[in-house]
Coordinates of all heavy atoms in Angstrom, one line a residue:
G15 N -73.1 215.0 26.0 CA -72.6 216.3 26.1 C -72.2 216.7 27.4 O -72.5 216.2 28.3
P16 N -71.3 217.8 27.6 CA -70.8 218.2 28.8 C -71.9 218.6 29.9 O -71.6 218.4 31.1 CB -70.0 219.3 28.5 CG -69.6 219.3 26.9 CD -70.7 218.6 26.4
S17 N -73.1 219.1 29.4 CA -74.0 219.4 30.4 C -75.2 218.4 30.6 O -76.2 218.9 31.2 CB -74.6 220.8 30.0 OG -73.6 221.9 29.9
A18 N -75.0 217.3 29.9 CA -76.1 216.2 29.8 C -76.7 215.9 31.3 O -78.0 215.8 31.4 CB -75.7 215.0 29.3
N19 N -75.9 215.9 32.3 CA -76.4 215.6 33.7 C -76.7 216.9 34.6 O -77.0 216.7 35.7 CB -75.4 214.7 34.3 CG -75.4 213.4 33.8 OD1 -76.4 212.6 33.7 ND2 -74.3 213.0 33.3
A20 N -76.6 218.1 34.1 CA -76.8 219.2 34.7 C -78.4 219.4 34.9 O -79.1 219.1 34.0 CB -76.2 220.5 34.1
V21 N -78.8 220.0 35.9 CA -80.3 220.4 36.1 C -80.5 221.7 35.2 O -79.6 222.4 34.9 CB -80.6 220.7 37.5 CG1 -80.4 219.5 38.3 CG2 -79.9 221.9 38.0
G22 N -81.7 222.0 34.9 CA -82.0 223.1 34.2 C -83.6 223.2 33.9 O -84.2 222.2 34.1
H23 N -84.0 224.3 33.3 CA -85.3 224.5 32.8 C -85.2 225.2 31.6 O -84.2 225.7 31.1 CB -86.3 225.1 33.9 CG -86.6 224.2 35.0 ND1 -87.5 223.2 34.7 CD2 -86.4 224.2 36.3 CE1 -87.8 222.6 35.9 NE2 -87.1 223.3 36.9
D24 N -86.4 225.3 31.0 CA -86.6 225.9 29.5 C -85.8 227.1 29.3 O -85.1 227.2 28.2 CB -88.2 226.3 29.4 CG -88.5 227.2 28.3 OD1 -88.2 228.5 28.5 OD2 -89.0 226.7 27.3
L25 N -85.8 228.1 30.1 CA -85.1 229.4 30.1 C -83.6 229.1 29.9 O -83.0 229.8 29.2 CB -85.5 230.3 31.2 CG -85.4 231.7 30.8 CD1 -86.2 232.2 29.7 CD2 -85.6 232.6 32.1
N26 N -83.1 228.2 30.7 CA -81.7 227.8 30.7 C -81.2 227.3 29.3 O -80.2 227.7 28.7 CB -81.3 226.8 31.7 CG -81.6 227.3 33.1 OD1 -82.3 226.5 33.8 ND2 -81.2 228.4 33.5
Y27 N -82.1 226.4 28.7 CA -81.9 225.8 27.5 C -81.9 226.7 26.3 O -80.9 226.7 25.4 CB -82.8 224.7 27.3 CG -83.0 223.7 28.4 CD1 -84.3 223.2 28.9 CD2 -81.9 223.3 29.2 CE1 -84.4 222.3 29.9 CE2 -82.0 222.4 30.3 CZ -83.3 222.1 30.7 OH -83.4 221.3 31.7
I28 N -82.9 227.6 26.3 CA -82.9 228.5 25.1 C -81.9 229.6 25.3 O -81.6 230.3 24.3 CB -84.3 229.1 24.9 CG1 -84.7 230.1 26.0 CG2 -85.3 227.9 24.8 CD1 -86.1 230.8 25.7
G29 N -81.5 229.9 26.5 CA -80.5 230.9 26.7 C -79.2 230.6 26.0 O -78.5 231.6 25.5
I30 N -78.8 229.4 25.7 CA -77.4 229.2 25.2 C -77.5 229.0 23.7 O -76.6 228.8 22.9 CB -76.7 227.9 25.7 CG1 -77.6 226.6 25.3 CG2 -76.6 228.0 27.2 CD1 -76.8 225.3 25.6
T31 N -78.7 229.1 23.1 CA -79.0 228.8 21.7 C -79.0 230.1 20.8 O -79.0 229.9 19.6 CB -80.2 228.1 21.4 OG1 -81.4 228.9 21.8 CG2 -80.4 226.7 22.2
G32 N -79.0 231.2 21.4 CA -79.2 232.5 20.7 C -80.6 232.9 20.6 O -80.9 234.1 20.2
A33 N -81.6 232.0 20.8 CA -82.9 232.3 20.6 C -83.4 233.5 21.6 O -84.1 234.4 21.2 CB -83.8 231.2 20.8
L34 N -83.1 233.2 22.8 CA -83.5 234.1 24.0 C -82.9 235.6 23.8 O -83.6 236.6 23.9 CB -83.1 233.7 25.4 CG -83.6 234.5 26.5 CD1 -85.2 234.7 26.5 CD2 -83.1 233.8 27.8
A35 N -81.6 235.6 23.3 CA -80.9 237.0 23.1 C -81.6 237.7 22.1 O -81.5 239.0 22.1 CB -79.4 236.8 23.0
S36 N -82.1 237.0 21.1 CA -82.8 237.7 19.9 C -84.2 238.2 20.2 O -84.7 238.9 19.4 CB -82.9 236.6 18.8 OG -81.5 236.2 18.4
I37 N -84.8 237.8 21.5 CA -86.1 238.4 21.8 C -85.9 239.5 23.0 O -86.0 239.3 24.1 CB -86.9 237.2 22.3 CG1 -87.0 236.0 21.4 CG2 -88.3 237.7 22.6 CD1 -87.7 234.9 21.8
A38 N -85.5 240.7 22.4 CA -85.1 241.8 23.5 C -85.4 243.2 22.8 O -85.5 243.2 21.6 CB -83.6 241.5 23.9
R39 N -85.4 244.2 23.7 CA -85.4 245.5 23.3 C -84.1 246.1 23.7 O -83.4 245.6 24.6 CB -86.5 246.3 23.9 CG -87.9 245.7 23.6 CD -88.3 246.1 22.1 NE -89.7 245.7 21.9 CZ -90.2 246.1 20.7 NH1 -89.6 246.6 19.8 NH2 -91.5 245.7 20.5
P40 N -83.7 247.2 22.9 CA -82.3 247.8 23.2 C -82.3 248.2 24.8 O -83.2 248.8 25.2 CB -82.4 248.9 22.3 CG -83.0 248.5 21.1 CD -84.3 247.7 21.7
G41 N -81.2 247.9 25.4 CA -81.0 248.4 26.8 C -81.8 247.6 27.8 O -81.8 248.0 29.0
Q42 N -82.5 246.4 27.3 CA -83.2 245.7 28.3 C -82.8 244.3 28.3 O -82.4 243.8 27.2 CB -84.7 245.9 28.0 CG -85.3 247.2 28.0 CD -86.8 247.2 27.6 OE1 -87.5 246.4 27.7 NE2 -87.3 248.5 27.2
P43 N -83.1 243.6 29.3 CA -82.8 242.1 29.2 C -83.8 241.4 28.2 O -84.8 242.1 28.0 CB -83.1 241.6 30.7 CG -83.1 242.9 31.5 CD -83.5 244.0 30.7
P44 N -83.5 240.2 27.7 CA -84.4 239.5 26.9 C -85.8 239.3 27.6 O -85.8 239.2 28.8 CB -83.6 238.2 26.7 CG -82.3 238.6 26.8 CD -82.2 239.5 27.9
T45 N -86.7 239.3 26.7 CA -88.1 239.1 27.1 C -88.3 237.5 27.3 O -88.0 236.8 26.4 CB -89.2 239.6 26.2 OG1 -89.0 241.0 26.2 CG2 -90.5 239.3 26.6
V46 N -88.8 237.2 28.5 CA -89.1 235.7 28.6 C -90.3 235.3 27.7 O -91.3 235.8 28.1 CB -89.4 235.4 30.1 CG1 -89.8 233.9 30.3 CG2 -88.3 235.9 31.0
P47 N -90.1 234.4 26.9 CA -91.1 234.1 25.9 C -92.1 233.0 26.4 O -92.4 232.0 25.7 CB -90.4 233.6 24.5 CG -89.2 233.0 25.1 CD -88.8 233.9 26.4
L48 N -92.6 233.2 27.7 CA -93.3 232.0 28.3 C -92.2 230.9 28.3 O -91.1 231.0 28.2 CB -94.6 231.6 27.6 CG -95.7 232.9 27.7 CD1 -97.0 232.4 26.9 CD2 -96.0 233.4 29.1
N49 N -92.7 229.7 28.3 CA -91.9 228.5 28.0 C -92.2 227.7 26.7 O -92.1 226.6 26.6 CB -92.0 227.6 29.2 CG -93.4 227.0 29.5 OD1 -94.3 227.6 29.2 ND2 -93.4 225.8 30.2
L50 N -92.6 228.6 25.7 CA -92.8 228.1 24.4 C -91.8 227.6 23.6 O -91.8 226.6 23.0 CB -93.6 229.2 23.7 CG -95.1 229.6 24.3 CD1 -95.7 230.7 23.4 CD2 -96.0 228.4 24.4
V51 N -90.7 228.4 23.7 CA -89.6 228.0 22.7 C -88.7 226.8 23.1 O -88.3 226.0 22.2 CB -88.6 229.3 22.7 CG1 -87.3 229.0 21.7 CG2 -89.3 230.6 22.3
G52 N -88.6 226.6 24.5 CA -87.8 225.5 24.9 C -88.7 224.2 25.2 O -88.6 223.1 24.5
D53 N -89.6 224.4 26.1 CA -90.4 223.3 26.5 C -91.4 222.7 25.5 O -91.3 221.5 25.2 CB -91.3 223.7 27.7 CG -90.6 223.5 29.1 OD1 -89.6 223.0 29.1 OD2 -91.2 224.2 30.2
Y54 N -92.0 223.7 24.7 CA -93.0 223.2 23.9 C -92.6 223.3 22.4 O -92.7 222.2 21.7 CB -94.3 224.1 24.1 CG -94.8 223.8 25.5 CD1 -95.0 225.0 26.4 CD2 -94.9 222.5 26.1 CE1 -95.5 224.7 27.7 CE2 -95.5 222.3 27.4 CZ -95.6 223.5 28.2 OH -96.0 223.3 29.4
G55 N -92.1 224.4 21.8 CA -91.6 224.4 20.5 C -90.4 223.6 20.2 O -90.5 222.6 19.4
G56 N -89.5 223.7 21.1 CA -88.2 223.1 20.9 C -88.1 221.6 21.6 O -87.3 220.8 21.4
G57 N -89.2 221.5 22.5 CA -89.2 220.3 23.2 C -90.1 219.3 22.8 O -90.0 218.3 22.0

């Protein structure tokens, strides 16, 4: 894939999937869900 050799961490990976944007309150940035969704649940 186009980003296969790019660096990144959990938050970057879940940011492009729609998961992170869905964990938010109105008018606030998304809440960082620890690194559970990317590293551990999705990883």
